[in-house]
Amino acid sequence: MKNIDCLTACLPDGAFVVQNPQNLRYLTGSDIDTGVLIVCKNTAWFITDFRYIEKAEIDLADTGINVVLQKKLSEDIGNILRQNDIHQIYVENDYQTISALAFFEKICMVRPENLLSETLSALRMIKQPEELERIRQAQKITDDAFTHILDYIQPGKTEKQIALEIEMYMRSHGAQDVSFDLIAVSGKHSALPHGVPTDKPVQPGE
């Protein structure tokens, strides 16, 4: 995995522990967003529960990442770290909880360091050709959805109907999801920068 190779090149010792769903996807190429990825210099493990284990085995079959069925997550992580004599870990300081930090500090006997978030941020700023192509595809879907919705909007259509039509169009044309909750508001609701679509019908002239 190219992204993992780039990450491990920045690893001085120990292991990176990744849990942020966006970072998991970036590093594994899989859209499974529930799990823990542990990355060492020459080995990586992906721990996930019974709901995703079969998909993980398929998605990661040719990546060299070891797929581990989650039993009790804290014990699973601890076992991997102890069995591989890992005493230093690097966590996502912008994602990790205080309780998780306390757990890692206990099993590693050292304070987890913050190298991971800085390293991943630097890596993700440099887009690979395939990432650039996906950005172009996503932008085209967005542009096409906007063009489509201009003809759909008519007096009587509700804000919720308009938002749903936008999302249906995007998903049916290749989008996997929307980046955030869609904002489709009209009339006085237009003054709300992050307005939530309601059952209010669009009125003539709005």
Side-chain angles (χ1 to χ4, degrees):
M1 295 294 291
K2 187 173 183 180
N3 291 336
I4 286 186
D5 291 341
C6 292
L7 182 65
T8 55
C10 306
L11 179 60
D13 55 25
F16 287 126
V17 179
V18 184
Q19 290 182 275
N20 183 308
Q22 285 74 37
N23 289 333
L24 287 176
R25 183 167 190 165
Y26 174 74
L27 292 169
T28 66
S30 172
D31 57 1
I32 300 174
D33 60 5
T34 301
V36 177
L37 179 67
I38 301 175
V39 182
C40 292
K41 275 290 188 184
N42 301 309
T43 315
W45 300 264
F46 182 67
I47 308 170
T48 192
D49 66 42
F50 69 94
R51 297 170 297 171
Y52 306 103
I53 190 68
E54 186 174 357
K55 187 176 189 325
E57 290 172 344
I58 294 171
D59 289 356
L60 306 181
D62 300 318
T63 65
I65 299 174
N66 300 290
V67 178
V68 179
L69 174 61
Q70 176 182 323
K71 296 176 182 176
K72 185 175 181 181
L73 187 58
S74 60
E75 292 181 2
D76 297 332
I77 295 172
N79 288 338
I80 288 174
L81 297 179
R82 282 188 290 269
Q83 290 168 9
N84 291 275
D85 199 28
I86 298 169
H87 300 287
Q88 177 63 63
I89 61 171
Y90 304 88
V91 299
E92 301 155 297
N93 59 301
D94 54 358
Y95 184 82
Q96 204 59 259
T97 64
I98 293 175
S99 60
L101 286 175
F103 163 73
F104 288 131
E105 187 173 9
K106 178 180 179 181
I107 61 175
C108 289
M109 305 302 290
V110 294
R111 180 74 177 167
E113 295 190 14
N114 298 333
L115 175 67
L116 178 54
S117 292
E118 300 168 7
T119 304
L120 276 171
S121 178
L123 287 175
R124 293 184 61 174
M125 280 194 291
I126 303 171
K127 303 303 181 187
Q128 303 299 323
E130 58 270 22
E131 292 179 288
L132 293 173
E133 180 56 30
R134 288 174 186 160
I135 291 171
R136 293 187 189 99
Q137 292 174 0
Q139 188 58 58
K140 185 179 187 308
I141 292 171
T142 303
D143 290 343
D144 291 347
F146 182 76
T147 301
H148 167 75
I149 207 65
L150 293 178
D151 290 332
Y152 178 85
I153 298 173
Q154 300 291 337
K157 296 285 188 183
T158 69
E159 296 170 345
K160 284 183 178 179
Q161 287 174 321
I162 294 168
L164 179 60
E165 180 67 19
I166 295 172
E167 183 165 353
M168 287 177 60
Y169 181 92
M170 294 174 70
R171 286 181 177 271
S172 65
H173 286 77
Q176 293 182 331
D177 205 346
V178 293
S179 297
F180 48 83
D181 292 340
L182 290 170
I183 301 169
V185 290
S186 60
K188 64 182 181 180
H189 293 171
S190 300
L192 304 174
H194 288 275
V196 177
T198 68
D199 290 318
K200 173 192 173 299
V202 173
Q203 301 300 318
E206 290 185 334

